[in-house]
Amino acid sequence: MKKRLIQVFGFLISTLGWTFVLCTMAMDYWRITQLGGQGGSFIIKVAWYWSNLWKDCFTDSTAVTNCRDFPVLWSVTPYVQGVRGLLMCGLTLGFFAAILCFLGMECTYIGGADKTKDKMLLSGAAFHFAGGVSDIAAYCLYINRIARTSFAPSVPAGVLRYDLGPPIFLGLVGSFFILLGAVFYAVTVCNVICPESKVVEVYGGRTYMAPFSRGRTLYAGYYGRSGQYGTYYGSGRSSNSKISRLSQTTPTKTSERDAFV
C-alpha cells in the first residue's frame, strides 16, 4: 500500500511539472523591461518591452500592444533555437515517461507481470530525469543570456536590460517537480536496480543463497555428504521471501550402502 501511494504521488507531481513546462512555451513575458515613467504617475507615459520564444512585443500605457513575430526557424537567434529545442526534447521525453510510468505503476492492471512493470517504471523514471535535466538546461540558457546583458558594466546603444519574467520561474518549479517525481519512482523500484540475495543457511561447508523474487521465493534442493552426515535442502515454495534457517534443513544419516559408493 505504501509503495502504491508513493507511485501515485510521483505520477501526480511529475505530470504537474510536465504541464507547467508545457504552459511556459505558450506564455508571454519571458523577459520584460520598462522605460520611462515613475510609480503612480499618469503624466509621463510608460512603455514595456517584452519577449517570449515566438515574438518581440511593445506595450504602451494605453494597453496597445504591437508585436513582431520571429522569422523562420533558421533565421532566429541561436540561443532561442537552443531553448526551443531543449524544451521540446524535454517535453517529448516526459510524454513517453508518463505513459511508461502509468503502465508500470502497481495500482494499474495493465503492463504485464510485476517484474516487467518494475522495469517499465524504472525506464519511465529515467526518461523523466533526462527530460527534467533538458528543461532546466533550456531555462538556464535563457537566464544566462539575460544575465549577461543585465549585469554587464556597459551595453551598446539600443540594447535593453531585461528582467526575468514569470514563465522562467514557473518552468524551473515544473522541472523540479519532474525530477522529484522521478526520484519517487526510483525509490519504489530500487530493488530492481540493486537486487539483494540473502544467505539462508551455511551447513557442511556449503552456503545456500535465496534467489531474489517478488513476494515468493523458489528454492531448489540438493543432497550432499559431509563425513557421516549429509545435508539436504528441500525443494518447494515458501509463502514469503523469508525462509527459516533450520526448518528447511533436515540432517539425515547416510546408509552403509551410500558410504561405500
Side-chain angles (χ1 to χ4, degrees), residues 15-247:
T15 305
L16 181 63
W18 185 85
T19 305
F20 283 175
V21 175
L22 179 63
C23 291
T24 59
M25 292 198 67
M27 292 178 65
D28 297 329
Y29 303 104
W30 275 61
R31 60 177 184 175
I32 184 171
T33 186
Q34 175 181 339
L35 296 178
Q38 296 179 355
S41 175
F42 292 95
I43 300 175
I44 303 177
K45 292 184 178 181
V46 182
W48 293 271
Y49 289 90
W50 55 272
S51 303
N52 59 12
L53 296 179
W54 315 103
K55 57 188 176 182
D56 280 324
C57 296
F58 166 80
T59 303
D60 58 20
S61 57
T62 61
V64 175
T65 301
N66 295 315
C67 294
R68 179 185 65 87
D69 294 334
F70 289 156
V72 291
L73 178 63
W74 48 85
S75 60
V76 181
T77 308
Y79 85 94
V80 175
Q81 291 182 0
V83 173
R84 288 179 181 177
L86 289 171
L87 287 179
M88 290 180 182
C89 180
L91 291 174
T92 303
L93 291 174
F95 175 76
F96 289 109
I99 296 177
L100 289 173
C101 291
F102 179 77
L103 296 177
M105 287 194 301
E106 189 178 9
C107 60
T108 57
Y109 295 95
I110 52 179
D114 292 342
K115 188 175 182 180
T116 303
K117 290 170 71 70
D118 286 345
K119 291 182 178 179
M120 293 176 63
L121 191 66
L122 183 60
S123 300
F127 277 19
H128 267 312
F129 186 82
V133 171
S134 179
D135 295 333
I136 291 178
Y139 295 118
C140 290
L141 178 61
Y142 200 90
I143 292 172
N144 178 66
R145 179 72 177 191
I146 297 174
R148 286 170 54 189
T149 305
S150 299
F151 295 101
S154 61
V155 294
V159 176
L160 300 176
R161 296 177 184 267
Y162 286 93
D163 296 324
L164 298 177
I168 300 293
F169 301 101
L170 182 63
L172 291 175
V173 172
S175 301
F176 174 75
F177 282 173
I178 293 174
L179 296 178
L180 186 61
V183 171
F184 285 153
Y185 286 137
V187 167
T188 59
V189 292
C190 59
N191 53 0
V192 178
I193 306 174
C194 301
E196 296 181 358
S197 298
K198 297 181 180 179
V199 177
V200 175
E201 180 62 26
V202 179
Y203 191 82
R206 300 196 180 191
T207 302
Y208 182 81
M209 304 297 293
F212 178 79
S213 63
R214 184 183 181 89
R216 293 183 177 181
T217 301
L218 302 177
Y219 52 97
Y222 62 88
Y223 182 88
R225 295 192 301 273
S226 175
Q228 185 179 4
Y229 292 96
T231 303
Y232 176 77
Y233 291 91
S235 299
R237 175 177 297 176
S238 87
S239 58
N240 52 30
S241 60
K242 296 181 179 180
I243 304 176
S244 174
R245 294 174 59 88
L246 298 177
S247 62

